[in-house]
Amino acid sequence: MSFVKSLLSRRAFTALAGAAVIATAMPAPSFAADVTIPIIVKDTTSFYWQIVLAGARKAGKDLGVNVPELGAQAESDVNGQISILENAVAGKPAAIVISPTEFKALGKPIDEAAKSVPIIGIDSGADSKAFKSFLTTDNVQGGRIAADGLAAAIKGATGKEEGEVVILTNLPGVGSLEQRREGFLDQVKTKYPGLKVIADKYGDGQATTGLNMMTDLITANPNLVGIFASNLIMAQGVGQAIAENKLGDKIKVIGFDSDDKTVGFLKDGAIAGLVVQDPYRMGYDGVKTALAVSKGEKVEENVDTGANLVTKANMADPKIDALLNPKIK
């Protein structure tokens, strides 16, 4: 990754220098050198957020806007993201696009930021009503899709929608993850009474923790038939545990989001399905919406960017392939 110092005005760069991480950004046309719209993601190291940044970068190029790509190096670094937001506001940009790391903790900082700069939210919510627009997957529906996919995979393996299942959530208090969990649990309760949720656990933002949690669950629950890993990091860890123990035929896994590793697990059968969002669109349309708001244009308050269940059977479909293999450079 390279720094974006050349993209910012002297005043904006000085204000942003304290940000935890400034990720790569492509040069924007010189005629728009005075229009800056930072995008702040949860974790610049994650493939998912790199896709979001790629969409934002392309929007900046298409629209002639400077788009500094900002974020901490871990989704758990809540204070780091708050500092990045405060520094970005001090640079007096045209607008800011942000995906809050934690629902409650980012509420007041976003309220405060919105007094000076229009704020566009993407992916995850915050305890704030200050967003000019919010673009995200319907994560409750995403959780329902995951439950449907898990039930179908279990039925395909056992002939019935019955058995012990587990939900693993990456971190507590994250708006999007709590909504996925809510949707999954509600769908299981109302539509699949034969599925029994025997564990509902939280991790700490690390794939190795997901691996260790899954390994322990396998040992302690010999009748386990299904897992919902509600984000990419958890899916990586869970998929690895299933692959290492060669349990893909017995324990069905539905993950959320994708990268080369989880797609590999899908191909090999360690993962039965992935609920895939459209992070590229979130990044692109987030910047596009932020520019419109900065010009005083009317925008939609809430935009559903969609989700699809990907299985080995449909992963070659052109629409699905485009989601699995986004252009991030």
Side-chain angles (χ1 to χ4, degrees):
M1 291 188 179
S2 61
F3 287 93
V4 296
K5 185 183 296 186
S6 62
L7 297 180
L8 305 175
S9 67
R10 187 183 302 274
R11 178 177 62 182
F13 177 74
T14 300
L16 291 168
V21 170
I22 303 179
T24 311
M26 297 296 289
S30 59
F31 62 82
D34 59 339
V35 179
T36 296
I37 298 176
I39 180 169
I40 305 171
V41 297
K42 298 181 184 181
D43 173 6
T44 57
T45 69
S46 164
F47 183 70
Y48 176 84
W49 294 110
Q50 288 171 17
I51 299 170
V52 173
L53 293 176
R57 186 182 312 132
K58 183 63 164 62
K61 185 176 180 181
D62 289 350
L63 300 171
V65 175
N66 293 328
V67 183
E69 300 173 21
L70 312 176
Q73 290 185 298
E75 292 195 21
S76 57
D77 188 4
V78 177
N79 290 333
Q81 192 185 56
I82 292 172
S83 294
I84 291 167
L85 173 61
E86 291 171 348
N87 288 333
V89 170
K92 298 183 179 179
I96 291 174
V97 180
I98 186 170
S99 178
T101 53
E102 205 276 332
F103 183 81
K104 289 192 175 298
L106 268 293
K108 288 184 179 179
I110 287 172
D111 284 343
E112 191 64 28
K115 295 176 182 179
S116 305
V117 180
I119 306 294
I120 305 300
I122 59 170
D123 185 80
S124 296
D127 191 12
S128 171
K129 298 187 183 303
F131 294 112
K132 295 295 185 182
S133 182
F134 190 71
L135 300 87
T136 188
T137 303
D138 180 341
N139 282 291
V140 173
Q141 178 61 16
R144 295 191 187 106
I145 291 170
D148 290 342
L150 187 59
I154 292 170
K155 185 176 181 179
T158 67
K160 52 190 178 181
E161 297 167 343
E162 296 178 4
E164 297 178 353
V165 300
V166 169
I167 178 169
L168 298 181
T169 301
N170 190 39
L171 287 165
V174 178
S176 58
L177 302 187
E178 293 298 340
Q179 289 165 357
R180 293 171 198 172
R181 174 181 171 275
E182 173 192 338
F184 178 84
L185 292 172
D186 180 68
Q187 191 79 336
V188 167
K189 181 179 179 180
T190 58
K191 193 174 178 181
Y192 306 108
L195 296 180
K196 181 181 178 183
V197 180
I198 62 166
D200 180 1
K201 295 180 175 293
Y202 289 90
D204 61 1
Q206 303 297 321
T208 52
T209 302
L211 167 62
N212 294 334
M213 290 170 69
M214 188 68 244
T215 301
D216 291 343
L217 285 165
I218 290 168
T219 303
N221 303 280
N223 297 321
L224 193 62
V225 296
I227 306 289
F228 173 40
S230 71
N231 87 326
L232 179 60
I233 294 171
M234 280 290 107
Q236 289 171 343
V238 168
Q240 186 174 339
I242 296 296
E244 289 179 355
N245 289 278
K246 297 182 171 61
L247 289 172
D249 290 337
K250 181 184 177 185
I251 301 177
K252 298 302 176 181
V253 178
I254 301 296
F256 217 102
D257 299 327
S258 67
D259 65 354
D260 288 345
K261 188 171 186 178
T262 53
V263 170
F265 288 144
L266 183 64
K267 291 177 179 177
D268 296 340
I271 286 179
L274 297 167
V275 180
V276 178
Q277 307 178 79
D278 195 344
Y280 190 94
R281 180 185 171 191
M282 284 187 206
Y284 191 101
D285 286 0
V287 171
K288 183 179 179 181
T289 302
L291 180 61
V293 167
S294 74
K295 293 179 177 179
E297 297 174 11
K298 187 176 181 180
V299 299
E300 291 186 49
E301 289 186 10
N302 293 284
V303 179
D304 178 8
T305 52
N308 294 270
L309 179 67
V310 179
T311 65
K312 198 171 182 178
N314 72 358
M315 64 189 301
D317 292 352
K319 177 185 176 182
I320 299 299
D321 182 68
L323 294 172
L324 292 178
N325 299 288
K327 296 178 180 178
I328 64 171
K329 294 183 179 180

